[in-house]
Amino acid sequence: MKRACVIGAGFGGLALAIRLQSSGIATTLVEARDKPGGRAYFWEREGFTFDAGPTVITDPAALRELWALSGRDMAEDIELMPVAPFYRLNWPDGYHFDYSNDLGALQREIARLAPDDLAGYAEFLEYAGAVYQEGYVRLGHVAFQDFSSMVRAAPALIKHQAWRSVYSMVSSFVKHEKLREAFSFHTLLVGGNPLTTSAIYALIHKLEVEGGVWWAKGGTNRLVAAMVKQFERLGGEIRLHDPVLHIHLLGDRATEVEALSGWRERFDAVASNADLVHTFRDLLAGTPRGHDMARKLARKRFSPSVFVVHFGVEGTWPGIPHHTILFGPRYKGLLEDIFDHGVLPQDFSIYLHHPTVTDRSLAPRGKSTFYALIPVAHLGKLPIDWDQVGPLIEQRVLDEVGRRLIPDIHDRIVTKFHYAPRDFALDLNAWQGSAFGLEPILTQSAWFRPHNRDDKIRNLYLVGAGTHPGAGIPGVVGSAKATARLMLEDLR
Ligand SMILES: Cc1cc2nc3c(=O)[nH]c(=O)nc-3n(C[C@H](O)[C@H](O)[C@H](O)COP(=O)(O)OP(=O)(O)OC[C@H]3O[C@@H](n4cnc5c(N)ncnc54)[C@H](O)[C@@H]3O)c2cc1C
């Protein structure tokens, strides 16, 4: 029986491990932290459950496949609950817009704001559908290993004007600024600037329209636990709390994996779900390939980080939807500050997560769980001491949520803590504390992204946000499909 090691139990690592084990490859998953999930870690405090990262589950069919491979049904292990509306978008002038895949309701929302944009929205939806077919359905889970694969994709990229940004493309369809923001902000969910990320990412709109927005009952951490259950049920082995220190090579092949505990084993193939710079700089330290790739990667553009305030409050808030975006006074200027100038702005846009409105199990009776997230520049652009700044930003974020939604928020808080860019760097080995890895710009996408199989070390593979197609749960689950196909072909 062939043996594979997957380093890192993020969504990408877990999905790959399930695919390999389902195909009869004896797979060991080695995770540095005490819990699996990576960015989807979680904490339990004073009866509240706080999911650390992903909260918006899209394309559930891609997840169901991980069970269907072995003839099982995902529903045996985890229940997905529909979320409605998908998001409430709220601006400082008090206006709000509910966004969902109920086309009638969405059209009414558009008509309420800008009736002249209804026709433009229909055209945008058509465009989003076309790029979704090309960029997600056709190419979202296929590895780009050689340049010819890029050449084959080129006609579609030209046809869909992939060099334009999502914001520019949306603006060509709708005129009202609020609608331009409403249909372009999604790239932020995968670490992309709407002003510079390729228009191909308009596919996220269609992905949501097509597959819906879901919540995993009990929290995203329960979905992670369900994936671990499925992997172990298939006979896979998971080692937690044991950071990998080194991938040993013999010539152009990875032979052994060694971890902090002293555990060291031989494998036929090794895949890394860990941060890419960490993989090449640290796990392949002392090798020419490790050195060259780490240097090359460090010069690339990385996505920003995020600052997240987790808080549990007294009371329930049926009027605050599950997902709210509280836009700040500036859209373009704020994005430029975060992505380009690397300054900590005075104003911010907040993504507010309120899971207890869908699922009461995340808080004690009569209480509610929230997180408020703001994108901030990564540590390479904004090298500040987050231990000092963190409490001040936490206060300002809570003040803003208080001003706009929960007036007596400070009196109601039962427990709170924050998670800053430095935590991403320390807990996840994330380069520059980036929350999403390599920025999803056209020149760092598809073939231009690090390949799912390394070009030099023949049995070393990459999976997760740093490789094709990129960040987000559907992205990394798609990367696992692309990587698994390569591994299975090679191992056979
Ligand atoms: C706050 C936040 C909110 C988000 N919201 C959403 C959302 O709503 N919907 C969505 O689809 N996406 C969302 N995303 C993006 C999504 O969470 C990520 O893109 C995705 O989870 C990354 O998965 P991954 O497979 O790349 O691995 P990661 O989650 O990055 O996991 C990598 C794993 O490797 C481990 N590791 C690192 N070094 C070592 C080592 N030396 N040895 C062993 N293990 C190691 C790490 O501990 C980690 O567990 C969000 C991200 C963040 C940060």
Side-chain angles (χ1 to χ4, degrees), residues 408-428:
D408 46 357
I409 188 166
H410 291 288
D411 299 334
R412 288 180 172 273
I413 286 181
V414 179
T415 181
K416 66 178 164 79
F417 60 99
H418 61 254
Y419 201 79
R422 216 172 72 100
D423 299 310
F424 283 93
L426 294 177
D427 293 343
L428 290 152

Side-chain angles (χ1 to χ4, degrees), residues 8 10 12 30-32 38-39 53-56 244 273-274 278 373 429 464-465 471-473:
V30 193
E31 166 57 46
R39 261 88 175 158
T55 57
V56 180
V244 169
N273 177 225
H278 171 61
L373 174 156
N429 293 316
I473 295 174

Side-chain angles (χ1 to χ4, degrees), residues 7-13 30-33 35-40 52-58 189-190 242-245 273-275 278 283 306 308 351 371 373 424 427-429 435-436 463-466 470-474 476:
I7 301 168
F11 266 100
V30 193
E31 166 57 46
R33 300 176 86 182
K35 293 179 202 149
R39 261 88 175 158
T55 57
V56 180
I57 308 292
T58 48
L189 303 175
V190 293
D242 201 7
V244 169
L245 295 183
N273 177 225
D275 177 271
H278 171 61
L283 306 188
V306 293
V308 189
Y351 157 56
Y371 88 43
L373 174 156
F424 283 93
D427 293 343
L428 290 152
N429 293 316
F436 306 92
V463 65
I473 295 174
V476 302

Side-chain angles (χ1 to χ4, degrees), residues 42-307:
F42 76 107
W43 301 272
E44 285 172 312
R45 297 200 179 175
E46 299 184 44
F48 295 88
T49 302
F50 297 103
D51 276 311
T55 57
V56 180
I57 308 292
T58 48
D59 194 9
L63 292 166
R64 279 191 211 107
E65 258 186 59
L66 301 172
W67 276 260
L69 286 169
S70 54
R72 297 197 85 96
D73 184 355
M74 183 170 92
E76 289 169 34
D77 294 326
I78 183 77
E79 181 188 339
L80 294 184
M81 305 164 77
V83 175
F86 290 174
Y87 309 92
R88 171 162 294 168
L89 311 178
N90 178 278
W91 284 270
D93 62 7
Y95 194 87
H96 77 246
F97 180 96
D98 281 350
Y99 172 105
S100 70
N101 65 347
D102 175 338
L103 190 61
L106 189 60
Q107 284 170 332
R108 280 192 295 282
E109 282 294 86
I110 296 170
R112 186 164 67 90
L113 184 62
D116 291 350
D117 277 335
L118 269 172
Y121 170 71
E123 286 172 33
F124 170 64
L125 185 57
E126 205 171 301
Y127 173 80
V131 287
Y132 164 77
Q133 273 304 325
E134 194 60 37
Y136 188 75
V137 178
R138 209 168 77 78
L139 299 174
H141 47 81
V142 183
F144 280 75
Q145 284 302 125
D146 50 41
F147 192 64
S148 59
S149 53
M150 197 67 206
V151 172
R152 282 194 296 277
L157 294 176
I158 293 166
K159 179 174 162 207
H160 299 304
Q161 303 182 45
W163 61 89
R164 290 180 70 174
S165 73
V166 175
Y167 182 83
S168 145
M169 191 56 84
V170 168
S171 300
S172 71
F173 293 115
V174 296
K175 301 281 169 290
H176 199 290
E177 178 55 27
K178 285 191 168 80
L179 290 180
R180 289 176 172 180
E181 294 174 15
F183 294 116
S184 68
F185 80 90
H186 297 78
T187 60
L188 288 164
L189 303 175
V190 293
N193 179 351
L195 305 178
T196 53
T197 301
S198 165
I200 297 295
Y201 279 82
L203 69 83
I204 301 175
H205 178 60
K206 180 67 176 177
L207 184 79
E208 291 179 344
V209 166
E210 199 66 22
V213 165
W214 302 85
W215 169 251
K217 191 167 166 48
T220 308
N221 66 87
R222 294 292 88 208
L223 176 56
V224 170
M227 290 171 81
V228 171
K229 188 171 174 190
Q230 166 67 351
F231 174 60
E232 290 188 322
R233 178 194 283 143
L234 292 163
E237 183 197 343
I238 182 161
R239 295 182 64 81
L240 294 174
H241 225 168
D242 201 7
V244 169
L245 295 183
H246 203 66
I247 301 170
H248 294 274
L249 304 183
L250 193 62
D252 62 356
R253 291 188 71 83
T255 50
E256 287 174 284
V257 176
E258 182 180 354
L260 185 65
S261 64
W263 173 87
R264 179 172 172 161
E265 282 192 16
R266 289 187 78 80
F267 292 97
D268 300 294
V270 176
S272 178
N273 177 225
D275 177 271
L276 292 186
V277 177
H278 171 61
T279 299
F280 287 99
R281 187 194 57 189
D282 304 328
L283 306 188
L284 288 163
T287 69
R289 181 62 175 163
H291 177 263
D292 292 352
M293 275 297 279
R295 258 193 24 187
K296 210 165 128 188
L297 286 166
R299 285 199 295 265
K300 293 196 179 276
R301 278 184 68 99
F302 279 77
S303 292
S305 192
V306 293
F307 180 86

